[in-house]
């Protein structure tokens, strides 16, 4: 799974659903959980079903956040989503136990993204990610995590620094996409940029958003730069030459280049070229 | 020469639009006036002295917008005279002018000539209550018809935010400051009787005058001529709607690749949230590419003022201030210049600023497959606006860019035929929506060029199909026979007639 942005769209909002494909996100998460009130769960399900069934000109990945297994809605959610051609299901309040329940009902062909949003689930992330091959990514829900921890969220994010690091390390270790929490200040674009630069520096390749105006900024930060792209291409070309000479390691601008670096460069080239960035 | 009043009385004799033609410029010399304005103790005395008769033509300007008190106060006094069959020619009508509904119903006002009609008066006209069809025109056309004597105004009442000791009128100062007073310039020069209504008579002379004191026959000082909170917006704001922002960015992509995005460009955009977003993104791009424009025109907002302050334009030509920052700027910045509506957009004026425009960004309530635009009615056929500067800027600009959502709550933008044409399609160059942009087929080479640069180009028919598939094809409106409004094109021909909805 490879997406820079996951945009949340309330499943009970027809006009937002209608325009969701135009927002420029790499993926949209149609939400049946927090943004839909209890008395609208059933109508939202019908709306989402209709929307996905009639979706033409799909521009990005489409997934649904179902309700958690400690609610009375999740099974009806899955009964609908199993009929739909979706790219993923986002499972909130993910735990090994909840995933065991989900696995009994969920379509086997759809990818699962787990939402890690409590102290317990963060500490058990290794087991959660390893639970099943259907799990392709994890999303860090910092707001609910902070509520569970009884701590205050700040724009600087010091209070979730350790959690973010622990989260992304576990995702990378198990080759799952790590998706960071949304930046919740709608109008602070400088804050968004700085925060995204930080999470990029610790290993995140992806971020969720609740405000579509954040998508472009997140993409600008997470995209490889033109210099990185050019450098990646040079390294890959040099690697091909040295391989022919039987050399698996070589020096580039004074630094050692071996297989992990080459793989990283190939990933950069792939991102840039499949997205037509440069 | 055909008189406007004759057309209104018998629109079957009106010259009909037959395509956009070159309009010969005219040297129009206003009559020489050297009046010495008399002060009246109150409006009642002034209106009595005006000697208003049945059938007279009375005008006002709309710079106080929905905060205007003057029209209502003056018409209240006029009503007491017992006159009837008046023609009202305000430059625009807002909800605050609802007194006119009663006057229309009583036959006191039987004709309306205006560039913009909204609120209860628009509703009344749409319901067919006005005896004769409303005559809807552009801002430039208003200047034309007055200066060319197609419309002769008997009495004009000019709301004057400040009058100095020489009776010069300045719109940028005073408790009811509204910025530039452009629209009544022609009225002041050509009307038989010119009256000023002020709430700020000052000693000394104002450094800038919108209307010269020697044009004024009489004036009265009131406590208040308007509600400042409704005259100009505190601040105009860029849209935060993500779809509006996407459309605005696409509009700037078109501008960038149009071949005309270079030094010396001239630009106008509206005051709506999406139009301001276009201004912002265009400013970013101008800074990136180190482009300096010649002038921005309008309809001026803080965003346009900031573009000038950032060095992106040499000067601004202002015909109307939309927010307090624009009002402040025109009062203090030398290069923020005031112009009359004639200099702004009259088709007869050889110096009309619209003729120098490179890009204009406009809206639309409807557009058809021939790119004809409707800004007079909403999709239910009820009047809610008017051309304003739409037809003028479209005619003058090298590129007319319509920005709009393709549909909103199942109301589609593109129709087979619009309810009422205000701007002919041959002057519209591109429609930019969130689903792509449709370029007027006359630009064959440009279409090919933009496609090769990866812009999302569709035909207008393709965009219509997308909308119809999403929303369903709307039912056609049904009309009665009664014509309730005439849509004049800026050359004086009638481009469309609007009938009453069944």
């Amino acid at each position: 799974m490879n997406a820079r942005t996951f945009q949340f769209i309330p499943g009970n909002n027809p006009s937002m659903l209608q325009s969701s494909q135009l927002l420029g996100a790499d993926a949209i998460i149609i939400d049946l959980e927090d943004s839909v009130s209890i008395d609208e769960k059933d109508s939202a399900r019908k709306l989402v079903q209709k929307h996905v069934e009639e979706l033409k000109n799909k521009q990005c990945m489409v997934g649904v956040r179902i309700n958690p297994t400690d609610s009375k809605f999740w099974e009806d959610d899955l009964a609908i989503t199993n009929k739909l051609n979706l790219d993923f299901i986002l499972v909130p309040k993910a735990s090994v136990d909840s995933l065991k329940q989900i696995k009994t009902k969920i379509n086997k062909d759809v990818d699962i993204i787990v939402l890690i949003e409590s102290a317990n689930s963060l500490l058990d992330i290794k087991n959660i990610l390893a639970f099943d091959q259907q799990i392709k990514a994890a999303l860090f829900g910092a707001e609910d995590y902070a509520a569970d921890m009884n701590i205050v969220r700040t724009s600087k994010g010091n209070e979730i620094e350790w959690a973010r690091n622990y989260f992304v390390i576990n995702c990378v270790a198990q080759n799952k996409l790590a998706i960071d929490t949304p930046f919740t200040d709608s109008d602070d674009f400088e804050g968004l940029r700085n925060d995204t630069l930080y999470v990029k520096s610790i290993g995140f390749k992806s971020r969720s958003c609740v405000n579509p105006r954040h998508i472009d900024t997140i993409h600008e930060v997470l995209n490889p730069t033109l210099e990185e792209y050019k450098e990646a291409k040079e390294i890959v070309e040099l690697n091909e030459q040295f391989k022919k000479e039987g050399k698996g390691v070589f020096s580039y601008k004074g630094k050692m280049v071996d297989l992990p670096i080459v793989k990283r460069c190939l990933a950069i080239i792939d991102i840039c070229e499949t997205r037509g960035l440069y | 020469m055909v008189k406007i009043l004759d057309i209104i009385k018998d629109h079957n004799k009106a010259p009909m639009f037959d395509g956009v033609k070159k309009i010969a410029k005219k040297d129009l010399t206003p009559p020489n006036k050297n009046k010495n304005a008399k002060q009246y103790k109150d409006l009642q005395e002034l209106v009595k002295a005006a000697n208003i008769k049945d059938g007279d033509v009375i005008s006002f300007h709309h710079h106080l917008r929905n905060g205007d008190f003057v029209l209502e106060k003056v018409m209240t006094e006029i009503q007491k005279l017992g006159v009837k069959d008046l023609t009202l020619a305000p430059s625009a009508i807002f909800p605050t002018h609802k007194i006119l509904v009663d006057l229309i119903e009583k036959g006191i006002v039987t004709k309306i000539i205006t560039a913009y009609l909204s609120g209860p008066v628009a509703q009344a006209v749409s319901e067919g209550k006005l005896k004769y069809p409303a005559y809807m025109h552009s801002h430039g056309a208003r200047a034309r018809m007055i200066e060319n004597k197609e419309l002769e105004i008997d009495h004009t009442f000019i709301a004057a935010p400040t009058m100095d000791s020489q009776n010069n009128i300045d719109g940028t100062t005073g408790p009811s400051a509204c910025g530039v007073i452009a629209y009544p310039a022609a009225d002041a020069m050509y009307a038989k009787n010119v009256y000023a209504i002020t709430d700020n008579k000052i000693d000394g002379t104002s450094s800038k005058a919108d209307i010269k004191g020697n044009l004024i026959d009489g004036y009265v000082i009131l406590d208040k001529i308007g509600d400042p909170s409704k005259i100009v917006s505190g601040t105009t704001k860029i849209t935060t709607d993500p779809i509006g922002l996407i459309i605005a960015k696409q509009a700037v992509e078109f501008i960038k690749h149009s071949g005309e995005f270079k030094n010396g460009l001239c630009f106008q955009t509206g005051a709506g949230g999406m139009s301001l977003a276009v201004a912002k993104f265009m400013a970013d791009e101008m800074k990136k590419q180190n482009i300096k424009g010649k002038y921005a025109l309008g309809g001026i907002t803080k965003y346009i003022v900031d573009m000038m302050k950032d060095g992106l334009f040499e000067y601004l030509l202002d015909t109307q201030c939309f927010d307090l920052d624009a009002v402040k700027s025109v009062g203090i910045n030398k290069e923020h210049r005031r112009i009359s509506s004639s200099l702004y957009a009259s088709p007869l004026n050889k110096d009309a600023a619209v003729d120098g425009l490179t890009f204009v960004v406009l809206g639309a309530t409807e557009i058809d497959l021939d790119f004809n635009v409707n800004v007079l009615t909403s999709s239910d056929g009820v009047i809610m606006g008017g051309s304003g500067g739409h037809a003028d800027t479209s005619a003058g600009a090298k590129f007319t860019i319509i920005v709009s959502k393709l549909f909103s709550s199942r109301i589609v933008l593109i129709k087979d035929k619009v309810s009422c044409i205000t701007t002919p399609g041959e002057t519209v160059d591109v429609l930019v929506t969130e689903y792509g942009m449709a370029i007027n087929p006359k630009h064959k080479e440009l279409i090919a060029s933009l496609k090769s640069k990866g812009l999302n180009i569709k035909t207008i028919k393709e965009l219509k199909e997308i909308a119809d598939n999403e929303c369903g094809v709307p039912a056609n409106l049904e009309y009665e026979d009664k014509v309730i409004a005439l849509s004049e094109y800026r050359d004086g021909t009638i481009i469309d007639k609007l009938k009453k909805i069944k």
Side-chain angles (χ1 to χ4, degrees), chain A residues 142-271:
Chain A
E143 300 305 316
D144 284 350
Y145 165 81
D148 188 40
M149 291 286 291
N150 201 15
I151 57 179
V152 174
R153 283 282 284 124
T154 65
S155 55
K156 273 206 159 173
N158 292 342
E159 69 285 352
I160 56 168
E161 186 180 343
W162 183 91
R164 267 171 159 167
N165 275 275
Y166 190 71
F167 175 90
V168 70
I169 289 167
N170 273 277
C171 289
V172 171
Q174 297 203 44
N175 200 26
K176 311 289 184 192
L177 179 67
I179 308 166
D180 192 34
T181 192
F183 187 80
T184 51
D185 189 332
S186 293
D187 297 319
D188 181 6
F189 286 88
E190 198 185 324
L192 168 67
R193 182 174 294 273
N194 290 336
D195 194 54
T196 310
L197 276 166
Y198 166 68
V199 303
K200 180 182 178 182
S201 74
I202 61 169
F204 280 93
K205 303 282 184 288
S206 181
R207 182 146 212 184
S208 54
C209 11
V210 292
N211 189 332
R213 290 187 294 141
H214 288 179
I215 292 168
D216 281 351
T217 301
I218 295 170
H219 285 180
E220 276 166 34
V221 173
L222 293 181
N223 284 341
T225 62
L226 178 59
E227 290 68 34
E228 284 171 334
Y229 173 60
K230 282 180 180 170
E231 192 170 274
K233 289 191 74 154
E234 281 172 17
I235 289 174
V236 164
E237 264 179 49
L238 279 171
N239 183 56
E240 289 303 309
Q241 286 172 27
F242 281 114
K243 246 170 70 174
K244 285 178 188 160
E245 296 170 20
K247 292 177 184 170
V249 176
F250 58 94
S251 174
Y252 176 80
K253 291 184 180 174
K255 292 183 185 161
M256 187 189 80
V257 175
D258 56 6
L259 186 58
I261 308 280
V262 175
K263 279 186 174 172
R264 187 173 157 274
C265 291
L266 286 167
I268 288 172
I269 294 167
D270 181 57
I271 288 171

Side-chain angles (χ1 to χ4, degrees), chain A residues 50-63:
Chain A
K50 203 82 174 107
H51 169 71
V52 176
E53 280 172 352
E54 299 197 4
L55 189 57
K56 301 177 194 69
N57 298 317
K58 193 166 165 244
Q59 303 288 318
C60 62
M61 292 200 294
V62 178

Side-chain angles (χ1 to χ4, degrees), chain B residues 416-466:
Chain B
D416 288 323
K417 290 282 171 208
V418 297
S419 310
C420 187
I421 301 174
T422 43
T423 299
E426 51 197 288
T427 64
V428 175
D429 299 287
V430 59
L431 166 66
V432 182
T433 76
E434 68 276 36
Y435 285 89
M437 60 181 86
I439 299 174
N440 193 313
K442 66 181 181 181
H443 294 295
K444 287 188 176 47
E445 283 177 21
L446 182 62
I447 293 170
S449 163
L450 294 179
K451 274 185 180 168
S452 72
K453 290 179 173 125
L455 270 66
N456 185 5
I457 309 292
K458 292 194 164 56
T459 64
I460 197 161
K461 193 158 176 272
E462 284 169 337
L463 286 179
K464 184 176 185 293
E465 281 166 7
I466 292 171

Side-chain angles (χ1 to χ4, degrees), chain B residues 241-258:
Chain B
D241 175 3
I243 300 301
L245 291 170
I246 286 170
I247 295 169
K249 281 183 185 164
Q250 284 303 300
V252 174
E253 284 300 302
F254 173 85
I255 286 171
K256 267 168 57 181
H257 293 107
S258 63

Side-chain angles (χ1 to χ4, degrees), chain B residues 183-468:
Chain B
Y183 294 106
D187 306 54
M189 284 190 277
Y190 289 85
K192 289 176 192 151
N193 301 293
V194 180
Y195 303 109
I197 322 291
T198 189
D199 57 7
N200 189 42
K201 189 81 166 69
I202 61 169
D203 296 326
T205 47
S206 199
S207 57
K208 291 190 181 196
D210 291 296
I211 307 285
K212 292 275 189 218
N214 64 335
L215 300 174
I216 314 291
D217 288 285
Y219 69 92
V220 68
I221 303 172
L222 301 182
D223 291 334
K224 273 182 160 193
I225 62 169
D227 175 356
S229 67
K230 294 177 186 167
I231 293 173
V232 280
S233 168
T235 61
T236 44
K237 280 190 176 154
I238 286 175
T239 183
T240 54
D241 175 3
I243 300 301
L245 291 170
I246 286 170
I247 295 169
K249 281 183 185 164
Q250 284 303 300
V252 174
E253 284 300 302
F254 173 85
I255 286 171
K256 267 168 57 181
H257 293 107
S258 63
E260 292 293 336
F261 189 57
K262 50 194 179 193
N263 285 334
L265 69 85
C266 300
F267 176 68
Q268 175 164 343
T269 190
M274 205 188 303
S275 300
L276 293 178
V278 176
K280 186 212 175 298
F281 296 137
M282 191 161 131
D284 292 343
E285 205 53 46
M286 287 173 81
K287 285 173 191 166
K288 229 194 248 177
Q289 296 194 36
N290 207 21
I291 288 175
K292 182 161 182 156
K294 189 172 169 196
Y295 62 79
L297 177 62
I300 299 293
T301 60
K302 168 184 158 46
Y303 290 95
I304 304 299
V305 171
D306 286 345
M307 286 175 88
M308 180 183 70
K309 284 182 183 168
D310 289 344
L312 299 178
F313 289 107
E314 288 174 39
Y315 56 93
L316 306 182
L317 295 175
D318 192 344
T319 191
Q320 187 170 199
C321 294
F322 280 128
D323 59 30
L324 287 175
D325 285 275
V327 173
K328 191 174 163 198
S329 168
V330 75
I332 58 174
N333 281 319
K334 191 165 69 78
E335 293 312 336
H336 186 159
R337 305 177 191 173
R338 312 169 192 227
I339 56 169
S340 67
S341 51
S342 178
L343 262 176
Y344 168 45
S346 170
L348 301 181
N349 196 318
K350 65 175 173 45
D351 297 317
V354 293
D355 293 335
L357 281 174
T358 318
F359 305 106
V360 63
V361 178
L362 298 166
T365 55
E366 295 177 321
I367 188 168
D368 68 23
L369 296 175
D370 295 318
F371 288 82
N372 295 310
V373 167
N374 170 20
V375 287
L376 176 60
T377 72
S378 52
S379 55
D380 59 2
V382 175
I383 297 173
M384 43 62 77
S387 185
H390 205 285
D392 300 315
T393 50
S394 292
K398 275 198 184 134
F399 287 108
T400 299
I401 303 163
I402 305 293
V403 291
S404 175
K405 287 186 182 181
L406 189 59
F407 50 82
S408 185
S409 303
R410 290 194 73 194
I411 297 175
V412 299
L413 172 73
I414 304 174
K415 303 282 176 62
D416 288 323
K417 290 282 171 208
V418 297
S419 310
C420 187
I421 301 174
T422 43
T423 299
E426 51 197 288
T427 64
V428 175
D429 299 287
V430 59
L431 166 66
V432 182
T433 76
E434 68 276 36
Y435 285 89
M437 60 181 86
I439 299 174
N440 193 313
K442 66 181 181 181
H443 294 295
K444 287 188 176 47
E445 283 177 21
L446 182 62
I447 293 170
S449 163
L450 294 179
K451 274 185 180 168
S452 72
K453 290 179 173 125
L455 270 66
N456 185 5
I457 309 292
K458 292 194 164 56
T459 64
I460 197 161
K461 193 158 176 272
E462 284 169 337
L463 286 179
K464 184 176 185 293
E465 281 166 7
I466 292 171
D468 290 345

Side-chain angles (χ1 to χ4, degrees), chain A residues 5-228:
Chain A
T5 43
F6 287 78
Q7 170 67 43
F8 279 95
I9 301 284
N12 62 343
N13 190 314
S15 71
M16 287 187 75
L17 281 170
Q18 198 173 44
S19 59
S20 61
Q21 292 292 312
L22 303 171
L23 299 175
D26 289 340
I28 58 161
I29 304 171
I30 302 175
D31 189 24
L32 293 175
E33 197 214 2
D34 285 350
S35 57
V36 178
S37 62
I38 287 173
D39 53 356
E40 287 195 341
K41 295 287 186 193
D42 53 349
S43 54
R45 232 176 263 128
K46 286 182 185 159
L47 181 63
V48 169
Q49 180 180 2
K50 203 82 174 107
H51 169 71
V52 176
E53 280 172 352
E54 299 197 4
L55 189 57
K56 301 177 194 69
N57 298 317
K58 193 166 165 244
Q59 303 288 318
C60 62
M61 292 200 294
V62 178
V64 170
R65 176 165 70 173
I66 58 171
N67 285 279
T69 54
D70 63 359
S71 76
K72 56 183 181 180
F73 306 113
W74 68 278
E75 286 169 292
D76 288 335
D77 292 343
L78 283 178
I80 296 298
T81 61
N82 283 344
K83 297 179 197 172
L84 304 174
N85 184 14
L86 293 170
D87 294 291
F88 61 87
I89 297 293
L90 176 60
V91 175
K93 297 183 182 173
S95 66
V96 169
D97 286 340
S98 71
L99 285 167
K100 282 177 183 167
Q101 291 181 78
I102 296 282
K103 276 295 287 184
T104 63
K105 302 277 181 190
I106 196 169
N107 187 333
K108 309 259 177 293
D109 298 330
V110 72
D111 289 345
I112 294 174
I113 302 178
V114 291
L115 184 45
I116 304 295
E117 48 184 339
S118 70
N120 273 329
S121 64
L122 181 64
L123 288 178
D124 203 35
I125 188 172
K126 185 174 174 184
N127 292 326
I128 291 170
L129 293 178
F131 177 77
D132 194 277
Q133 286 302 307
Q134 245 183 299
I135 297 167
K136 297 291 193 290
L139 195 158
F140 178 45
E143 300 305 316
D144 284 350
Y145 165 81
D148 188 40
M149 291 286 291
N150 201 15
I151 57 179
V152 174
R153 283 282 284 124
T154 65
S155 55
K156 273 206 159 173
N158 292 342
E159 69 285 352
I160 56 168
E161 186 180 343
W162 183 91
R164 267 171 159 167
N165 275 275
Y166 190 71
F167 175 90
V168 70
I169 289 167
N170 273 277
C171 289
V172 171
Q174 297 203 44
N175 200 26
K176 311 289 184 192
L177 179 67
I179 308 166
D180 192 34
T181 192
F183 187 80
T184 51
D185 189 332
S186 293
D187 297 319
D188 181 6
F189 286 88
E190 198 185 324
L192 168 67
R193 182 174 294 273
N194 290 336
D195 194 54
T196 310
L197 276 166
Y198 166 68
V199 303
K200 180 182 178 182
S201 74
I202 61 169
F204 280 93
K205 303 282 184 288
S206 181
R207 182 146 212 184
S208 54
C209 11
V210 292
N211 189 332
R213 290 187 294 141
H214 288 179
I215 292 168
D216 281 351
T217 301
I218 295 170
H219 285 180
E220 276 166 34
V221 173
L222 293 181
N223 284 341
T225 62
L226 178 59
E227 290 68 34
E228 284 171 334

Side-chain angles (χ1 to χ4, degrees), chain B residues 17-77:
Chain B
F17 178 77
D18 184 29
V20 175
K21 297 181 174 44
K22 201 169 162 63
I23 303 170
K25 306 296 181 187
K26 243 176 159 177
D27 250 323
L28 294 161
T29 311
N32 207 4
K33 283 188 185 183
N34 196 15
K35 307 282 181 76
N36 195 7
K38 178 184 169 171
Q39 182 178 0
Y40 292 87
K41 73 170 177 5
D42 54 32
L43 257 182
Q44 191 176 55
E45 188 186 49
L46 183 150
V47 167
K48 273 192 180 151
N51 196 24
I52 295 170
K53 300 182 297 300
D54 288 354
D56 274 358
V57 178
I58 298 171
S59 78
F60 300 85
H61 69 75
H62 73 275
H63 285 288
L64 300 189
R65 304 181 70 79
N66 207 36
D68 176 39
F69 292 169
V70 169
L71 185 147
E72 186 190 354
K73 286 179 185 291
V74 168
M75 294 309 295
T76 300
E77 294 306 325

